[in-house]
Amino acid sequence: MSCTSCGTNTGGKPNGCKSNGGCSTGGCNRMNVHDWLTNLPLSDEDSMCRIVEVSFNNGSRKDFYRNSTVHLYEKGEMVTVEGVSGFDTGEVCLSGELVRLQLKKKGVEENNPEIKRILRRAGDRDLELWKQNKAREPQALTRARSIARQLKLEMKLSEVEFQADGRKATFFYTADGRIDFRELIKIYASEFKVKVEMKQIGARQEAAKVGGIGSCGRELCCSTWLTSFKSVTTIAARYQNLSINQTKLSGQCGRLKCCLNYELDTYLDALQGFPDNADMLETMKGNALLIKKDIFRNLMWYILPDSNKHYPLSIATVRKIKEMNVKGVKPEALETEELVSSKPKEVEPDFVDVVGQISLRSLEKNDKKRKFKQREQQDRNRSNARQAQAPRSPQQNQPRPTIRKDKDKGKPS
């Protein structure tokens, strides 16, 4: 998420941070990694890592490139790299010694000869061509979807990414099964005049590319920082005492939310102190069944047959009853714990009955004045109408004599 002051001027540089066209924090790019080794001095420049991580399409795709030039590239710089039968333009998102950790994390050898090279810093011509081809992507996506619909293919296109030189286009799609798109590729190649690559992604990757706001009110984790998608099952929800509601537990991708795994380890560690095989306790009133474990209060909630009352028992009480059941002894009742709420009790406001205390005489006076004014206006309008309709006398119809003053004598003539 970018800062509020990063408005762009006509020159292409940020208006607020004044960082020569690049963001110092890297917040304008998705899937960022904080370079915490950037200010450490290097003891030997020859042993420094010559691999640079470059991001494309605002961080939705990243790849490693070898820096075979004499320049040192920093985070935020635009570079031109080798592409498929041409070149591509991306932004440097990570450089220096921290790239070695990223290579180890993703299982890429630093001396791998298949790693492509960085050609040069992106010039004005490279950036202009890159912007022109990026502007084609929305229209191409709309046209590609209509073509796939005409061929009646059960697939959903989520994104189209053009190479910076416009020679290659990658179409990302989701599908439940395998799709025979041999005819589709021919139509795309003739329609867009590019080399076509089809890449199938999952529902979580599609949500990461599209982006959005989650139910927590923040931007989706898969769009900002989450890179590895682990499997999420309903067992994680059961350990956390969450209701198995598919609509509430599902994210925008239609799968279970990835955040269900964030606190799972904490819950598993807390549940180790609870007794095992305590799903049922034998009492004189019947078998009490376990319905919930409260790890915050260390309580276990039970319910008896033919009763809707819930009985909170402490861990020590459950273990004591379990030992009694092993010996064949059944307690007469369950020793429940007293629940004390830590929240302050809300004081309800006192309502005062004010019926009959409000006088309506002022409202009645205003109503009478308003009605009196309306009657006066109606009478005035009626009298004016009668005068306009009444016939005039012959004397009233004669023209009035004009009075003229003599200039010399000053008398009327």
Side-chain angles (χ1 to χ4, degrees):
M1 299 175 68
S2 61
C3 55
T4 57
S5 60
C6 282
T8 305
N9 277 336
T10 55
K13 296 182 180 180
N15 188 24
C17 60
K18 305 296 184 183
S19 187
N20 296 325
C23 186
S24 303
T25 61
C28 300
N29 194 21
R30 294 186 293 176
M31 301 294 181
N32 284 302
V33 176
H34 178 64
D35 192 357
W36 51 276
L37 297 176
T38 183
N39 295 325
L40 293 179
L42 298 176
S43 59
D44 187 9
E45 294 184 357
D46 296 334
S47 62
M48 65 179 297
C49 184
R50 303 295 297 181
I51 305 296
V52 177
E53 189 177 27
V54 182
S55 69
F56 303 91
N57 202 11
N58 293 331
S60 62
R61 179 173 64 88
K62 291 184 179 181
D63 206 347
F64 297 103
Y65 291 88
R66 189 178 305 279
N67 183 12
S68 59
T69 63
V70 296
H71 303 287
L72 295 178
Y73 300 105
E74 296 182 355
K75 185 175 183 178
E77 289 186 298
M78 300 296 294
V79 292
T80 301
V81 299
E82 289 181 344
V84 178
S85 302
F87 65 90
D88 203 355
T89 301
E91 180 183 351
V92 176
C93 61
L94 199 63
S95 62
E97 293 300 314
L98 199 61
V99 182
R100 283 200 172 101
L101 299 179
Q102 289 293 98
L103 291 171
K104 183 178 180 180
K105 177 182 177 181
K106 297 184 178 180
V108 180
E109 295 292 336
E110 184 176 353
N111 298 324
N112 190 357
E114 296 181 359
I115 297 179
K116 296 181 180 180
R117 298 179 298 108
I118 296 178
L119 300 178
R120 58 186 178 275
R121 278 192 174 92
D124 295 338
R125 176 59 182 168
D126 297 335
L127 294 177
E128 182 181 359
L129 190 61
W130 170 66
K131 291 179 181 179
Q132 290 178 1
N133 290 303
K134 284 296 176 183
R136 298 170 53 192
E137 292 180 356
Q139 185 177 2
L141 179 60
T142 304
R143 178 59 181 159
R145 286 175 176 174
S146 63
I147 294 174
R149 195 179 301 112
Q150 290 174 4
L151 296 178
K152 297 181 180 180
L153 297 177
E154 296 181 358
M155 58 184 294
K156 179 184 177 183
L157 287 167
S158 58
E159 189 182 33
V160 177
E161 182 181 352
F162 277 91
Q163 199 169 264
D165 57 357
R167 297 183 179 181
K168 177 194 171 185
T170 305
F171 295 83
F172 298 92
Y173 71 96
T174 58
D176 296 334
R178 299 189 63 179
I179 304 296
D180 186 9
F181 44 73
R182 289 175 293 181
E183 185 67 24
L184 183 66
I185 290 178
K186 295 179 183 179
I187 299 176
Y188 282 174
S190 61
E191 179 75 19
F192 303 112
K193 308 298 181 185
V194 292
K195 184 177 180 180
V196 178
E197 179 183 357
M198 304 296 295
K199 186 171 291 186
Q200 186 175 2
I201 58 176
R204 299 182 189 273
Q205 287 81 2
E206 181 190 11
K209 289 182 175 296
V210 175
I213 304 298
S215 58
C216 57
R218 302 184 62 181
E219 197 172 354
L220 297 180
C221 297
C222 53
S223 297
T224 52
W225 62 271
L226 189 62
T227 56
S228 59
F229 300 99
K230 298 181 180 179
S231 60
V232 186
T233 60
T234 55
I235 299 177
R238 290 191 177 94
Y239 278 124
Q240 302 176 46
N241 294 325
L242 299 176
S243 60
I244 309 302
N245 191 341
Q246 194 71 18
T247 57
K248 292 184 178 181
L249 298 180
S250 300
Q252 295 190 3
C253 58
R255 304 293 189 271
L256 293 177
K257 294 180 180 179
C258 299
C259 54
L260 291 175
N261 286 339
Y262 295 168
E263 300 178 355
L264 181 59
D265 295 337
T266 304
Y267 276 86
L268 292 176
D269 293 340
L271 289 174
Q272 290 181 359
F274 285 77
D276 298 331
N277 300 324
D279 297 339
M280 184 181 66
L281 299 179
E282 297 178 0
T283 62
M284 298 296 292
K285 297 181 179 180
N287 295 331
L289 300 179
L290 177 66
I291 58 174
K292 186 177 69 172
K293 295 180 181 179
D294 191 349
I295 67 170
F296 301 104
R297 299 179 181 178
N298 290 330
L299 297 177
M300 302 177 69
W301 295 75
Y302 288 85
I303 187 172
L304 289 173
D306 301 333
S307 175
N308 294 329
K309 185 179 179 181
H310 295 173
Y311 297 88
L313 305 180
S314 63
I315 297 177
T317 303
V318 173
R319 288 176 176 171
K320 179 181 177 181
I321 296 176
K322 201 66 181 173
E323 293 177 356
M324 294 173 62
N325 293 153
V326 171
K327 297 177 181 179
V329 180
K330 298 180 180 180
E332 295 183 359
L334 297 176
E335 300 177 3
T336 60
E337 298 291 330
E338 183 179 358
L339 299 180
V340 179
S341 178
S342 60
K343 295 183 179 180
K345 186 178 180 180
E346 297 183 359
V347 179
E348 296 183 358
D350 295 333
F351 295 97
V352 181
D353 188 7
V354 295
V355 177
Q357 299 183 11
I358 301 177
S359 177
L360 301 178
R361 292 182 180 179
S362 59
L363 300 177
E364 292 176 357
K365 291 181 179 179
N366 294 333
D367 191 19
K368 290 180 179 180
K369 289 180 180 180
R370 182 174 56 83
K371 291 181 178 179
F372 181 73
K373 289 181 180 180
Q374 289 179 357
R375 290 174 183 174
E376 286 185 346
Q377 185 67 27
Q378 290 176 1
D379 295 340
R380 198 179 296 113
N381 294 337
R382 290 172 184 172
S383 62
N384 294 335
R386 291 194 194 100
Q387 291 177 4
Q389 294 177 1
R392 302 181 66 179
S393 61
Q395 297 179 357
Q396 293 178 348
N397 293 332
Q398 292 180 359
R400 294 180 180 180
T402 57
I403 299 175
R404 181 173 57 85
K405 290 184 179 181
D406 193 358
K407 294 182 180 180
D408 298 334
K409 298 180 179 182
K411 296 180 180 180
S413 58

